[in-house]
Structure formats: C-alpha cells, structure tokens
Amino acid sequence: MTDRRLNALFDPRNVAIIGASRDGEKIGHAVMRNFVENRFFGQIYPVNPNADTIMGYESYGSVLDIEDDVDLAVVSVPPAVANDVIRECVEKDVNAVIVITSGYQEIGGDGVERSDELDAILADGDTRLLGPNCLGVWDAYSGVDTLFLPSYKLKRPPQGQIAIITQSGAFGSTVMDMLAEMGVGVSRFISYGNQADITDIELLEWLRDDEETDAVAVYMEGVSDGEQFIENAKRITEEMPVIMLKAGKHDAGKQAISSHTGSLAGSYQVYQGVFRQTGVMEAAHMEALFDYARALAYNPPLDGKRIAVVTNGGGFGVLTADALENQGLQLAEFSDETKDALADVVPSYGTVGNPLDLIGDADADRYERALEALKDDDGIDGIIVIPLLQPLPLDSEVVDTLVNFQEEYGKPVVTCMTGSQFTTLHMNNLEKNGVAAYSSPARAASAMHALYRYGQWVHRDD
Ligand code: COA
C-alpha cells in the first residue's frame, strides 16, 4: 500500500516554499511564482529569514514558525543549509518535502556525507522526501508546479492520461514542452533525482492507484532497489502499462550517470531480464517512449495480430502493410458481411480490400461509413486509420469521426497523418481527445505492436 503522505506531493492543502527568493532570477522565486500564478488553491507560505515579504506574502523565518500544519514543503536553499531546513520539516512533521537543491551523493566527497546526514534526519520522523537534486512535481489537476522553468520557455501540457516519472529533470521537462506542443495530455510529472527516500517503485504504485493516469512513461538511470522493483513492478504493470527508457546502457553512459544522479547504472542485460520478468515495456529511444505511452494510455490492449488499415492514400496503405509485417502483425481478412457493407462505401472506381483504400476523394462521411462497416467484424483486432488531409474533400470533421469511433469501438485504434501545419493542427486535436496520431506508418505500426505486447503480457497464463 502506498504511503498516504505521498498524496501531499500532488494535492497538498498548503505549501511552504523554503528559500522563496526576492530575486526574480532565482530558482526559489520561480517556484513561488508558479504557486502564486497557478490555479493552486491551497495556502502558500514563503520561508526566508532574510525577507519580510515575498511577492506580497508574509515571509516566515523558519517552517517551525508557521502555525498551521504543513502538508508540502519545497526546499531551494544552498546545500550548506539544506539539511538544516529539512531537519526542521521533520521536526514539524511536514508530510512531504521536495528538495530541489543539488550537491548530495551525485558530487561525491562532501555530498556523500551530506546524503548520509540526510538519511539520519529522515530516520527521525515520518516526513517523506522527493529528491534531492530534482525538479519535483507538476500536477495538471491541482496546480502544483515546482518546475523552476518559466512557462514562456517551457509550455505545460494539457490535462491528460499519461504520467511521466524521470530521474533527469532536464529530460522530463523538455519532453513536457514537446508534448505540450503536440497537444498530448499529461496527468502528473515527477522528477525524482537521487531518490534518497521516495523511490521509483513507490511513485509507480501511487500512479497505478491514480484515477487520472492510464499509462506511465519513465526515464530511468538506475533502479532504487532491484529486489523491491522486481517484487512490485509486476503487480503494477498488470493494471497499468509502464514504458521505460533506460539510460546508461553502455560504458560511456554509465559513467555519465554516476555524476548525474549518483545512481548505479547496472548491467543493461540484467535490466532487460528485469523488464521481461516484470512486464515493463522498454522503449529504445525517446520517440518510442511517447509513441508507446500514447497508444497504451488511450487504448485497451490489442488482443490479436489482425489489423485493418483504412486510408485515402493507396501508397500509405502499402507502407503500413509492410510496417505491420515488420512488427510481426498481419492484415486482417474481412468477413463476407464486412465486404458487402464496404461495397456500398467504396466508390465503383475503387476496390474493397485490406488495406482499404477509400480513394483520394474520400470525405469524413466515407470514413465514418467505412469504420462502421468494420466495427463488428470479429476477425479484426485493431484498426490503423490514415486520413491524409491534403485532398480537398477531407476536412476537420474527420477528427470528430475518429474520436467518436474510438469511443464506441472498444478495440485499439491508432492513426497516422503526414504533412505540415494543417495536418499537425489536426493531429493535435486528435491527441487532445485521446486518439494517438503518428507521423508515419512505421511509427503507427510500432505503436500497434506495443499494444499487442501489452495484450500478451496481461493475458499471459503464468
Ligand atoms: N531558510 C530559508 N531561506 C533561506 C535560508 C534558510 N535557512 N537561508 C537563505 N535563504 C534564502 C536566501 O536569502 C535567498 O533568498 P533572497 O534571494 O531573497 O536573499 C534564497 O533562500 C536562496 O538562497 P541563495 O543563497 O540565493 O541560493 P540560490 O538560489 O543561489 O541557490 C539552489 C539555491 C537550491 C538553487 C542551489 O543551491 C542549487 O542547488 N542549484 C541547483 C538546482 C538544480 O539544478 N536541481 C536539480 C534540477 S534537475
């Protein structure tokens, strides 16, 4: 069972910002600004012994001076004083503390001593700690945002179903910016740094029980505790897909890790074994991480290999057929009933087949009727739809068609669209409505394969 104190990271009643700075250029100021300007409805307590007020809020000399119980504290003071203020948080029994400060085990020497001291401080109470050396949390629902990166430089994504857990703040935050641009919704973002206390697996457990999250994308350098991970990860992946990008697979990357978060990268072969054993889906690179996460967050698992492909661009149908075969998937054989229904949809100058070419003059209505004809065919396990928007007859209505169809179909649907601005706008609209949109047949087929692999995992017999 997850520690209820972890709830304070995501939806705190109030927040103390320790090191809230008067200086607009400083990290503690940026964090304070986020809370003040966001839709955060809890009380905000800046803590800074050198200031009377910060952004118009009364400043406290210490967290101990706050009369109220404190739910969440964010620490952005220099390493020389960080443990002192954390000790005060433990004394006050603050539920959770996010420590942005760097200078712990990742720097070796003094940093290791500081980390040991931190362990001893935490052992004295029940306060839970995220970090140190992290960006902390962004929560799409509560308005918690400890990312010190201003929103004019780093867009925040819309509310959505994918959670991100990252050991690298830089990786996680820049991909948030990228996802925001793509219209991809995120539920919670957690940068956990050195994981001195709260571990990757605890965060995954919390997210499994989170109603807003349907899949988790993880960037990991080193697991906190191998045995704990193996023991628990399986129970998580059975209920929620976990997709992982493992960093530090080779010697050069491993060395870089020790000075980044101080983790042990471990043998990549061992990790691969752990992933197989626990149902964690490995993504080979950053694009794949979110290609899989989107498909898995929006769709049920794929229960078989038989895929229907529907397009208004013949060449894209052919490329998708090839891409599916590359992934070990296959084109579905349509039933006679389906073929008869499709004969009324495809114009006389086209043919009924799979891939189903609706011809370059297809409009949204033709897509709708074609999808309707495929809907009840038991020989189809999932559909890839490729509505190319360049021809005149196909307009924005096709987005509604696809969104509505996915809602009622109950089996996986992914889409592929290739093009520039006009196309990207529609891809964004699909994503905002929870329909995965990929820019190439190969990516769409590989996302379908991720759904297949997840289906194999959840329906396995052991
Ligand atoms: N309690 C509360 N506030 C205190 C304090 C205390 N005991 N002692 C000092 N402060 C105040 C300072 O007065 C200052 O406010 P002011 O600017 O209004 O005077 C504020 O805390 C910040 O202290 P400062 O000394 O200016 O530190 P800084 O902002 O330059 O650096 C960190 C602090 C945490 C940002 C820095 O040490 C650090 O670790 N940076 C790296 C962060 C990072 O990259 N993390 C990982 C991300 S992935």
Side-chain angles (χ1 to χ4, degrees):
M1 211 179 72
T2 51
D3 185 345
R4 291 176 51 136
R5 286 180 178 246
L6 263 57
N7 295 347
L9 293 173
F10 304 98
D11 192 15
R13 223 170 27 82
N14 57 31
V15 60
I17 299 160
I18 306 176
S21 168
R22 292 158 290 182
D23 180 342
E25 302 290 311
K26 291 209 170 157
I27 287 181
H29 187 92
V31 173
M32 175 82 189
R33 183 171 290 282
N34 288 346
F35 279 95
V36 172
E37 293 183 352
N38 273 5
R39 303 160 288 103
F40 180 71
F41 294 117
Q43 192 73 33
I44 302 168
Y45 299 111
V47 177
N48 183 339
N50 304 315
D52 296 328
T53 60
I54 310 270
M55 295 179 72
Y57 286 72
E58 178 194 347
S59 175
Y60 292 79
S62 150
V63 74
L64 295 171
D65 298 337
I66 301 170
E67 279 172 23
D68 206 354
D69 291 338
V70 173
D71 217 3
L72 174 68
V74 186
V75 173
S76 70
V77 293
V81 285
N83 280 353
D84 296 338
V85 302
I86 297 167
R87 188 178 286 109
E88 289 176 350
C89 289
V90 173
E91 194 182 324
K92 187 158 175 73
D93 199 25
V94 171
N95 279 325
V97 182
I98 294 173
V99 182
I100 294 174
T101 308
S102 302
Y104 283 81
Q105 68 182 29
E106 78 282 2
I107 60 163
D110 284 0
V112 175
E113 277 172 36
R114 191 169 291 120
S115 294
D116 292 344
E117 187 188 37
L118 179 61
D119 291 344
I121 292 169
L122 292 174
D124 271 351
D126 296 321
T127 297
R128 302 303 312 270
L129 182 139
L130 185 72
N133 185 29
C134 72
L135 280 179
V137 173
W138 174 83
D139 186 297
Y141 297 90
S142 69
V144 166
D145 185 350
T146 67
L147 276 55
F148 55 77
L149 311 146
S151 54
Y152 78 92
K153 286 191 163 185
L154 186 140
K155 274 204 214 173
R156 276 39 170 187
Q159 293 181 338
Q161 299 145 263
I162 300 173
I164 299 172
I165 301 187
T166 179
Q167 210 161 352
S168 157
F171 174 84
S173 56
T174 45
V175 298
M176 284 254 289
D177 197 16
M178 176 191 83
L179 295 177
E181 186 63 15
M182 291 164 65
V184 177
V186 172
S187 55
R188 335 269 180 191
F189 165 94
I190 307 131
S191 147
Y192 61 88
N194 297 7
Q195 49 187 337
D197 177 35
I198 297 174
T199 59
D200 38 29
I201 201 79
E202 281 183 283
L203 292 167
L204 285 170
E205 276 172 350
W206 191 92
L207 291 167
R208 176 202 49 204
D209 301 337
D210 174 26
E211 285 189 1
E212 307 297 349
T213 299
D214 291 324
V216 185
V218 186
Y219 166 97
M220 180 189 273
E221 296 185 350
V223 75
S224 56
D225 175 338
E227 266 174 46
Q228 192 198 33
F229 191 90
I230 294 173
E231 211 173 286
N232 296 296
K234 208 162 151 179
R235 281 199 291 275
I236 296 168
T237 58
E238 275 160 2
E239 288 178 44
M240 172 189 72
V242 176
I243 310 98
M244 190 169 298
L245 180 58
K246 168 76 179 81
K249 294 178 193 165
H250 308 296
D251 286 347
K254 281 185 198 166
Q255 276 171 20
I257 281 178
S258 70
S259 61
H260 183 218
T261 51
S263 305
L264 288 173
S267 144
Y268 178 45
Q269 282 70 29
V270 171
Y271 272 95
Q272 284 180 307
V274 170
F275 295 153
R276 264 194 304 276
Q277 229 179 310
T278 57
V280 168
M281 191 175 298
E282 192 190 358
H285 46 76
M286 185 176 111
E287 287 76 15
L289 179 65
F290 290 98
D291 281 1
Y292 299 169
R294 288 184 283 137
L296 286 156
Y298 308 155
N299 288 289
L302 183 68
D303 287 340
K305 291 184 171 181
R306 303 158 307 171
I307 309 298
V309 178
V310 185
T311 182
N312 56 340
F316 275 81
V318 180
L319 285 172
T320 308
D322 279 342
L324 285 171
E325 199 168 323
N326 274 338
Q327 296 289 348
L329 300 175
Q330 64 205 39
L331 290 170
E333 180 71 39
F334 297 159
S335 70
D336 290 342
E337 218 178 344
T338 302
K339 285 182 195 157
D340 288 347
L342 286 172
D344 290 338
V345 178
V346 176
S348 57
Y349 41 89
T351 49
V352 170
N354 188 16
L356 180 67
D357 186 356
L358 295 177
I359 320 286
D361 57 5
D363 58 8
D365 178 60
R366 198 180 292 166
Y367 267 97
E368 187 178 333
R369 288 186 299 129
L371 292 170
E372 192 56 38
L374 299 175
K375 201 170 81 185
D376 297 323
D377 191 328
D378 292 337
I380 301 173
D381 300 309
I383 306 182
I384 297 182
V385 192
I386 312 172
L388 304 168
L389 287 166
Q390 288 81 357
L392 258 185
L394 197 60
D395 57 22
S396 308
E397 230 181 279
V398 74
V399 169
D400 291 338
T401 305
L402 290 166
V403 172
N404 294 338
F405 179 72
Q406 192 197 40
E407 268 169 23
E408 58 189 57
Y409 187 43
K411 295 182 199 173
V413 180
V414 306
T415 71
C416 165
M417 284 180 174
T418 303
S420 68
Q421 245 175 340
F422 186 78
T423 294
T424 340
L425 180 80
H426 290 80
M427 291 170 84
N428 286 4
N429 285 340
L430 283 170
E431 291 287 346
K432 278 179 193 151
N433 286 288
V435 178
Y438 301 97
S439 57
S440 72
R443 288 174 79 168
S446 131
M448 221 12 137
H449 186 244
L451 288 161
Y452 177 72
R453 277 196 283 163
Y454 190 57
Q456 295 291 295
W457 170 253
V458 288
H459 300 310
R460 74 195 186 286
D461 290 326
D462 69 30

